[in-house]
Amino acid sequence: MPVSIEDRFSFDLQGFLLLRGVLTADECDAYLEELIRLEEQDYEDKFQEQFTDGNLGLATKHTVNDKGIRLNGLPRLSKVFDPLIAHSRIVPYLDEFVGLPQLINTWSISKFQGATSGGWHRGVPTTDYSYRHGDIRSRMFNVVIFLTDNGPDDGCVVAIPASHKSSFDLSWREYPGLEMPGAMPAVGKAGDVFMFSEATIHNGLPKTTEGRRSNLYFNYVHAHYNVMTREPRNCHHFYLPPHVRERFDENQKKMTEWMQYVKWDY
Ligand SMILES: O=C(O)CCC(=O)C(=O)O
């Protein structure tokens, strides 16, 4: 289904959109079950041995926000998440808002009670968002899949509407969480999807409630953007070796086509 003019208007205006009910409750449960299994494991991360200057890049599994777990490079860890790579509800938005979308990093963040706020950030500068000749173009675009409810106190993502076009920045560290002017929590139910231009300033709120908040993050770029030179220490998590892509269907292969042109030996 094509993206509606209302969704185009809202996305261009705010820098983000929330799609309701992309996944069923059963799908969320199945993804969650696999995520928990992966979170309970440890990972060797042999690729880090090549970095001898102390900067190891991101480990496959690491702690975030004091009481949170992040996993990087999901398709390397499991085939269960493959249907999310080129999901039929999401692809029309990727085509419309990115142009030539390619999947780069994927990660998960599970937060538990006591998890603290993150830091305000954006993945790309505002010059990496444009509207020209009728085309919206986001050079980097994040798709956040809620596997559990994301209420305002569950450690949900928070974003500043229209900050993908902001003309000047504040000193972000001085404005924790909702003290940031204009900050809007991205609340939703399990199965909803929050998608945003990475030029949008965003963060994660503290989790004060019981239970877990688990989201998956599928990050896409325009095909002309070279992510390997952008983050040389994290190539391992972006790169999907041939044996991983072999199991993909045609749409998933197309969304990861750039892997045919890069080489990474780990
Ligand atoms: O879910 C969160 O806490 C925020 C995640 C975030 O900002 C990010 O992964 O870039």
Side-chain angles (χ1 to χ4, degrees):
M1 205 166 65
V3 174
S4 68
I5 184 72
E6 292 82 8
D7 277 354
R8 279 165 53 87
F9 173 79
S10 297
F11 180 74
D12 176 62
L13 191 69
Q14 304 185 110
F16 52 74
L17 271 186
L18 183 77
L19 300 186
R20 301 269 178 209
V22 174
L23 301 183
T24 63
D26 284 349
E27 286 172 326
C28 288
D29 287 349
Y31 289 132
L32 201 53
E33 188 183 330
E34 179 67 351
L35 184 63
I36 292 169
R37 188 184 74 79
L38 295 171
E39 286 174 350
E40 285 169 355
Q41 293 178 26
D42 290 319
Y43 300 89
E44 266 193 308
D45 285 339
K46 278 189 170 299
F47 75 95
Q48 291 184 323
E49 286 170 10
Q50 71 186 296
F51 303 131
T52 51
D53 62 359
N55 177 0
L56 299 180
L58 295 177
T60 297
K61 172 174 142 178
H62 58 103
T63 301
V64 284
N65 311 119
D66 298 334
K67 293 258 173 60
I69 304 174
R70 173 166 165 154
L71 297 180
N72 295 296
L74 300 176
R76 264 183 185 273
L77 307 181
S78 168
K79 63 180 183 200
V80 167
F81 307 108
D82 291 357
L84 298 171
I85 291 173
H87 192 282
S88 61
R89 278 281 307 276
I90 297 169
V91 169
Y93 292 91
L94 299 174
D95 290 341
E96 193 71 35
F97 298 154
V98 180
L100 290 172
Q102 288 288 287
L103 180 68
I104 53 160
N105 202 9
T106 49
W107 65 97
S108 61
I109 301 179
S110 293
K111 286 183 182 172
F112 303 91
Q113 191 169 34
T116 53
S117 188
W120 290 102
H121 60 287
R122 50 160 65 100
V124 290
T126 51
T127 44
D128 282 346
Y129 176 86
S130 68
Y131 178 73
R132 300 259 190 291
H133 310 301
D135 291 329
I136 292 173
R137 288 291 172 265
S138 318
R139 194 163 280 160
M140 187 181 280
F141 188 82
N142 206 338
V143 173
V144 186
I145 299 152
F146 299 174
L147 299 184
T148 57
D149 290 352
N150 275 234
D153 301 315
D154 293 335
C156 67
V157 178
V158 56
I160 307 178
S163 55
H164 62 314
K165 299 180 186 178
S166 59
S167 303
F168 67 95
D169 289 323
L170 293 171
S171 183
W172 297 340
R173 283 182 193 191
E174 290 171 22
Y175 303 91
L178 296 176
E179 288 178 31
M180 175 67 97
M184 204 184 103
V187 292
K189 295 282 178 201
D192 293 347
V193 164
F194 180 68
M195 45 178 64
F196 62 97
S197 153
E198 275 281 0
T200 307
I201 302 168
H202 61 281
N203 192 356
L205 290 176
K207 180 160 180 25
T208 57
T209 55
E210 289 179 356
R212 68 159 56 222
R213 187 232 64 176
S214 290
N215 291 345
L216 305 180
Y217 303 75
F218 278 59
N219 204 16
Y220 299 82
V221 289
H222 189 279
H224 298 177
Y225 192 87
N226 187 338
V227 67
M228 299 305 245
T229 50
R230 171 195 158 97
E231 284 181 49
R233 303 287 154 142
N234 293 321
C235 296
H236 176 77
H237 306 302
F238 306 151
Y239 180 61
L240 304 177
H243 76 267
V244 169
R245 287 186 73 240
E246 261 166 30
R247 65 174 195 242
F248 288 178
D249 69 19
E250 284 315 302
N251 293 331
Q252 293 157 6
K253 282 195 174 122
K254 189 171 158 220
M255 199 58 87
T256 55
E257 204 176 354
W258 71 286
M259 301 293 166
Q260 288 175 18
Y261 308 107
V262 292
K263 218 171 141 217
W264 178 255
D265 291 333
Y266 290 85

